[in-house]
Amino acid sequence: MQEDWFKRKFINPRTNEGEPQTEKLKYAREFFEALGNKDPRFSGSVIVGSTMKGYGKENSDIDAILFYYEDPERLEVYSETYTFYADFFNFERDFKLKRKGKIFDISTEVGCHNLKYNFTINPSGKIVLSPKDILHLDDILDAFSYPIIGTKNPKALVPMEKILNVIRTTIDKLSYIKRKKLLEDVLSSATFYIESEFEKYSKRKDLAFAETKKQYLAARLQMLKQTLKNKLGLYD
């Protein structure tokens, strides 16, 4: 593994031995596209973790953050078995049983967001996000800096592409001070996870970490800033 990989690439979908994660990413895309086609509540997923950062092992889990839209108040039966999250695990089980070829575990421990609590859908079906509310979405904006697999289902309640467009439009309306504060909050939220991953992976004997935690953090944050600017229009 090249010691300076993190200085050059924010996203580096390779194993700890430098091999492309082609098979794993193909599986993830097939899985989430099939989930979207089956369940209109599903908006999309973000692939994170070691798979996308250049130090994942070939057979490790695929870390993903799920985004969906479900109104708990409209559920006829107030039971966990009728929620999106429970249905997700049932779908994963069935998908593995039916798929021919290699399978991987999908880990959602890093996050699962019901967009019902972040966005409003008005009577005409338009997705609404106020400049005030976006200031509380620092963890979601951080997640969106990673590769997104959005649903292609035309019946999806809240397609990921519409969410991204609303976010970009709302950010564009922010004053300089509020946009700067939002960026600072996103970077602050990301700092904890970046430091944690350094502590975890710098101890592995199969990886080469010649840099200090401070150098690693500075490099990752700088690339995150550039990614947020390119993808969401968020900059200082």
Side-chain angles (χ1 to χ4, degrees), residues 121-135:
I121 299 182
N122 63 23
S124 66
K126 184 179 180 180
I127 302 171
V128 179
L129 176 65
S130 71
K132 179 180 179 181
D133 289 338
I134 197 174
L135 298 178

Side-chain angles (χ1 to χ4, degrees), residues 46-50 53 62-67 85 106-113 139 143 193 200:
V46 174
I47 309 301
V48 295
S50 61
K53 297 175 183 175
I62 300 173
D63 293 314
I65 301 175
L66 303 183
F67 294 89
Y85 204 44
I106 304 288
S107 174
T108 60
E109 293 182 4
V110 285
C112 188
H113 294 274
D139 57 336
Y193 297 104
K200 178 179 179 179

Side-chain angles (χ1 to χ4, degrees), residues 1-233:
M1 181 184 207
Q2 294 178 336
E3 296 180 357
D4 66 343
W5 66 265
F6 69 87
K7 294 180 180 179
R8 298 178 290 104
K9 293 183 178 181
F10 184 67
I11 302 299
N12 186 31
R14 294 179 178 273
T15 66
N16 55 310
E17 297 180 350
E19 296 298 323
Q21 295 273 27
T22 306
E23 191 172 20
K24 189 178 290 186
L25 295 179
K26 179 182 178 182
Y27 179 89
R29 188 164 297 280
E30 288 181 7
F31 177 87
F32 286 114
E33 287 184 357
L35 174 62
N37 290 335
K38 180 179 177 60
D39 195 332
R41 294 172 296 180
F42 179 67
S43 299
S45 65
V46 174
I47 309 301
V48 295
S50 61
T51 299
M52 305 309 301
K53 297 175 183 175
Y55 42 73
K57 295 182 179 180
E58 184 178 354
N59 296 314
S60 60
D61 295 350
I62 300 173
D63 293 314
I65 301 175
L66 303 183
F67 294 89
Y68 65 98
Y69 188 93
E70 179 176 65
D71 191 344
E73 297 178 1
R74 294 186 178 182
L75 294 177
E76 295 182 2
V77 181
Y78 288 87
S79 168
E80 184 179 355
T81 58
Y82 287 86
T83 65
F84 169 83
Y85 204 44
D87 290 340
F88 167 81
F89 289 111
N90 291 333
F91 174 84
E92 182 181 20
R93 178 198 61 208
D94 294 342
F95 183 86
K96 287 180 176 179
L97 290 174
K98 296 177 181 178
R99 189 178 193 269
K100 296 179 181 180
K102 192 171 184 178
I103 60 175
F104 298 90
D105 290 330
I106 304 288
S107 174
T108 60
E109 293 182 4
V110 285
C112 188
H113 294 274
N114 184 354
L115 298 173
K116 155 75 176 176
Y117 301 113
N118 307 114
F119 299 83
T120 300
I121 299 182
N122 63 23
S124 66
K126 184 179 180 180
I127 302 171
V128 179
L129 176 65
S130 71
K132 179 180 179 181
D133 289 338
I134 197 174
L135 298 178
H136 304 291
L137 300 186
D138 49 277
D139 57 336
I140 290 180
L141 299 188
D142 177 28
F144 285 166
S145 64
Y146 290 92
I148 299 170
I149 302 176
T151 181
K152 296 181 180 179
N153 187 344
K155 296 182 179 180
L157 298 177
V158 182
M160 185 63 80
E161 190 54 44
K162 288 188 177 181
I163 289 294
L164 293 173
N165 287 338
V166 169
I167 287 175
R168 295 184 191 107
T169 300
T170 306
I171 288 176
D172 189 55
K173 295 178 180 178
L174 294 177
S175 66
Y176 168 76
I177 294 177
K178 289 185 177 180
R179 190 179 69 237
K180 187 173 184 295
K181 176 64 167 57
L182 177 58
L183 177 60
E184 290 174 351
D185 289 344
V186 175
L187 297 179
S188 176
S189 177
T191 295
F192 170 78
Y193 297 104
I194 294 173
E195 290 181 334
S196 296
E197 71 187 27
F198 180 88
E199 293 292 344
K200 178 179 179 179
Y201 293 106
S202 62
K203 296 176 182 178
R204 273 176 43 181
K205 296 180 179 180
D206 60 328
L207 300 178
F209 276 83
E211 287 70 20
T212 65
K213 180 168 69 173
K214 183 177 181 180
Q215 291 171 320
Y216 179 80
L217 176 63
R220 295 294 293 175
L221 289 178
Q222 184 57 42
M223 285 186 286
L224 173 58
K225 286 180 65 175
Q226 188 61 48
T227 302
L228 292 169
K229 179 179 180 180
N230 294 341
K231 292 184 73 172
L232 304 177

